[in-house]
Amino acid sequence: MVLTTVAAPFEGGLWKIHVELPDQYPYKSPSIGFVNRIFHPNIDELSGSVCLDVINQTWSPMYDMINIFEVFLPQLLRYPNPTDPLNGEAAALMMREPKGYEAKVKEYVTKYATREQIDDAGNDTDDSDEMSSVGSFDDDEDDDEPAGTMDEV
């Protein structure tokens, strides 16, 4: 799956997302990881793992994969939680120097979250599953816009 976002400062970025469903799914939350690099307080920079506390706090068996890509991940990018970090550097920079944090996020988007990076990341995995495409939010409120959507690769 590929996540694109319009949430500043991640705007324009493309990330390949790895999702692992446990045997107890949907009663237990899936493991979610970013395949290409991202600079975010709640995402481990090297492994791409998303903070399990963040997922488990909001998980419900009523959720499905669309909720992960249409709600959970866009909200995670839009509203990072620097008080429960997996990436201490990103959390500290976000709290102490917000403009520096935004600049570093944008640098990572330019370096690691491009179509070329997605294509390269696809060549590094043995995953032969096809990518799915899901449209953006269908909110009734005009003032709310989606933080991101999925694109087909």
Side-chain angles (χ1 to χ4, degrees), residues 59-79:
W59 186 254
S60 163
M62 294 176 55
Y63 290 164
D64 57 20
M65 297 309 291
I66 292 174
N67 292 95
I68 290 171
F69 284 91
E70 291 286 317
V71 179
F72 174 74
L73 290 174
Q75 285 182 351
L76 181 69
L77 295 181
R78 185 170 278 182
Y79 307 110

Side-chain angles (χ1 to χ4, degrees), residues 4-37:
T4 62
T5 184
V6 294
F10 297 94
E11 185 172 2
L14 293 167
W15 289 273
K16 186 171 183 179
I17 307 297
H18 176 79
V19 179
E20 238 179 87
L21 300 177
D23 291 338
Q24 301 87 358
Y25 179 83
Y27 301 103
K28 185 176 178 195
S29 65
S31 295
I32 302 170
F34 284 70
V35 175
N36 47 329
R37 289 176 71 170

